[in-house]
Amino acid sequence: MTHHHRVAPGFVAVVSAFALGACGKVQEAAGEKATEKMIESALSKEGTQAKVNLSEGGMKVSTTDASGKSTQMELGATKITEADIGVPFYPGAKQSEGAAMRMATSDSVSLQMGLHSDDAFDKVAAFYRDKLKAMAEGKHLTDMAGSDGASLSLIDDKTKTSLQVHVSKADKGSDIAILSIRDKTK
């Protein structure tokens, strides 16, 4: 991993933990405000200022650290398209509820989303293998396959972008996780 992929691990862990508890359930406004304050105080330490907004089943978080670096994060109700993430969605796959995340810092944008397909994981992995191979010229392609899943990644050192696709066997069909990281300084 290169320098621009750095995100405070605690930040993502705290936000994700609260998001799992906070999203998906329709909460009363009072409860929502209390949850917002709770997340803000959990994040607002070591000089970090946090602003949290829960709405429509999703969550928006803005933080500014002691050095003035800001991060914006959207979870849950985030809309991510194929054009945004840079790779087609598997045909017929459904977006997993609450499994989309957009995070922007001063130097990079990260998009993450989860999909579910009723097709077998090896068929889904083959689809993404073809797509990434077609895009791989001048980039570094990694392909790791196991008995119950596959991890594919495409890294472009010139533009500081990376695309990762993880396909894993689910009870019924396959779960797909796509992560795209783009450097905004280019």
Side-chain angles (χ1 to χ4, degrees), residues 14 21 24 28 36 43 54 63 124 148 155-156 179:
V14 167
E28 294 165 32
E36 286 175 0
L43 292 171
L54 297 172
T63 61
V124 177
D148 56 0
I155 296 169
D156 186 338
L179 173 65

Side-chain angles (χ1 to χ4, degrees), residues 86-162:
V87 71
F89 299 158
Y90 186 76
K94 303 258 185 300
Q95 186 169 332
S96 306
E97 196 180 329
M101 181 181 89
R102 180 188 304 267
M103 187 159 75
T105 64
S106 53
D107 51 15
S108 72
V109 177
S110 305
L111 302 174
Q112 187 174 328
M113 72 176 310
L115 299 166
H116 179 82
S117 169
D118 290 340
D119 288 350
F121 84 89
D122 48 358
K123 188 177 174 189
V124 177
F127 169 85
Y128 280 106
R129 196 167 281 124
D130 287 348
K131 295 294 175 205
L132 266 58
K133 274 184 182 159
M135 297 157 59
E137 195 170 328
K139 300 172 188 150
H140 183 64
L141 177 65
T142 309
D143 182 349
M144 293 185 294
S147 57
D148 56 0
S151 285
L152 306 157
S153 73
L154 195 59
I155 296 169
D156 186 338
D157 290 327
K158 284 197 293 294
T159 58
K160 300 271 198 298
T161 59
S162 75

